[in-house]
């Protein structure tokens, strides 16, 4: 009975979104979904490169990702916060406050990730050994990965905040372009570095491309026209306003 009630509610004509709203949601959401798809696809290719060097390095990458998830989760939190606040201010026709909010969020995120970066650099060997079950080769590779990517944690914070800000401004396509290009560059860069640095070349490629994505998203947000059109009622309805948020 509950299922029948839910289906009737969902497909009642009054509850169905308009076609224009569906199109607008797809325009905003499709780049975000595509970004995640391409990001995962690149890691599949990188996984093949890493396993070709030595399969144990895949285990090292997995350990690195577990520990790196602490920094990543913090960045995601700031990205969601930036998207929400930017959307609120733009819904209230306060473009300058929206831009200022993004700048403030980036500064706070950097201040948060700096100590995380330092702690990761200091305690990477201990954390890697704890998760590697005593395998010294895996622990060493994981330690190297953590120490290399920890150097760009503050930059990763900028990347996340401005991706969130672009999302709040309903400008998700520039974030997609930056993510796809930056992620794709990891493959040729890794291929160039592996002969000189071994698997550390892959870790360097992962960290180095973050240095491209963050400025690209920052520049995209700073140069984009993020104002909501006065006649664009669909866009305004999709953005939060202070009254609806409170």
């Amino acid at each position: 009975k509950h299922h029948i009630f839910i289906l009737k509610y969902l497909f009642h004509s009054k509850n169905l979104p308009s076609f224009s709203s569906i199109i607008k949601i797809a325009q905003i959401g499709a780049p975000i979904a595509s970004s995640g798809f391409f990001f995962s696809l690149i890691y599949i290719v990188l996984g093949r490169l890493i396993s070709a060097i030595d399969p144990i390095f895949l285990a090292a990458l997995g350990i690195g990702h577990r520990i790196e998830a602490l920094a990543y989760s913090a960045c995601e939190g700031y990205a969601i916060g930036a998207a929400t606040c930017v959307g609120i201010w733009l819904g209230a026709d306060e473009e300058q406050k929206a831009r200022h909010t993004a700048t403030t969020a980036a500064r706070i995120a950097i201040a948060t990730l700096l100590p995380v970066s330092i702690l990761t650099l200091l305690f990477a060997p201990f954390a890697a050994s704890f998760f590697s079950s005593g395998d010294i080769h895996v622990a060493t590779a994981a330690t190297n990965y953590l120490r290399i990517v920890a150097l760009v944690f503050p930059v990763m914070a900028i990347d996340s905040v401005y991706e969130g800000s672009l999302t709040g401004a309903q400008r998700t396509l520039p974030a997609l372009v930056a993510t796809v290009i930056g992620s794709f560059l990891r493959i040729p860069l890794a291929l160039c570095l592996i002969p000189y640095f071994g698997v550390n070349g892959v870790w360097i490629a992962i960290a180095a491309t973050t240095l491209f994505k963050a400025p690209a998203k920052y520049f995209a947000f700073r140069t984009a026209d993020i104002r909501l059109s006065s006649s664009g009622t669909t866009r305004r309805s999709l953005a939060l306003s202070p009254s609806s948020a409170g």
Side-chain angles (χ1 to χ4, degrees):
K1 291 182 179 180
H2 293 294
H3 294 133
I4 295 174
F5 172 79
I6 292 172
L7 289 173
K8 286 182 177 180
Y9 176 81
L10 289 175
F11 292 100
H12 194 280
S13 59
K14 292 182 178 180
N15 299 319
L16 291 176
S18 65
F19 181 75
S20 60
S21 295
I22 294 175
I23 294 299
K24 192 61 187 180
I25 291 170
Q27 288 175 344
I28 297 171
I32 299 174
S34 301
S35 176
F37 169 78
F38 282 109
F39 186 80
S40 300
L41 185 64
I42 294 302
Y43 261 101
I44 292 174
V45 178
L46 286 177
R48 294 296 300 270
L49 290 177
I50 294 169
S51 63
I53 300 172
D54 195 319
I56 68 168
F57 294 136
L58 283 176
L61 180 64
I63 291 171
H65 280 172
R66 283 189 214 171
I67 302 168
E68 185 188 10
L70 296 172
Y72 182 79
S73 297
C75 289
E76 283 296 290
Y78 283 113
I80 294 170
T84 303
C85 293
V86 168
I88 288 173
W89 284 121
L90 290 179
D93 288 328
E94 296 282 0
E95 180 189 355
Q96 292 305 315
K97 289 183 178 179
R99 294 189 184 278
H100 178 71
T101 295
T103 301
T104 302
R107 290 173 179 171
I108 296 172
I110 292 170
T112 302
L113 269 294
L114 270 175
V116 176
S117 177
I118 294 170
L119 289 173
T120 302
L121 288 168
L122 292 175
F123 294 101
F126 171 78
S129 297
F130 179 80
F131 286 104
S132 63
S133 301
D135 190 318
I136 189 170
H137 299 292
V138 174
T140 300
T143 298
N144 292 337
Y145 172 82
L146 288 169
R147 283 181 165 167
I148 291 170
V149 298
L151 295 173
V152 296
F153 280 173
V155 183
M156 186 170 67
I158 299 172
D159 180 349
S160 298
V161 165
Y162 281 102
E163 180 165 343
S165 299
L166 287 165
T167 301
Q170 302 173 21
R171 299 291 191 271
T172 52
L173 186 58
L176 167 64
V177 173
T179 297
V180 170
I181 294 176
S183 299
F184 176 78
L185 286 174
R186 292 178 173 180
I187 297 174
L189 186 56
L191 288 172
C192 291
L193 294 175
I194 286 173
Y196 301 98
F197 301 101
V199 74
N200 288 337
V202 182
W203 309 156
I204 294 170
I206 291 172
T209 50
T210 302
L211 299 176
F212 163 80
K213 292 190 294 180
K217 292 174 186 178
Y218 168 83
F219 181 78
F221 181 77
R222 286 300 166 191
T223 57
D225 179 8
I226 61 173
R227 293 171 296 175
L228 298 183
S229 172
S230 58
S231 61
T233 54
T234 301
R235 288 188 61 194
R236 188 178 300 279
S237 66
L238 287 171
L240 292 172
S241 65
S243 58
S244 64

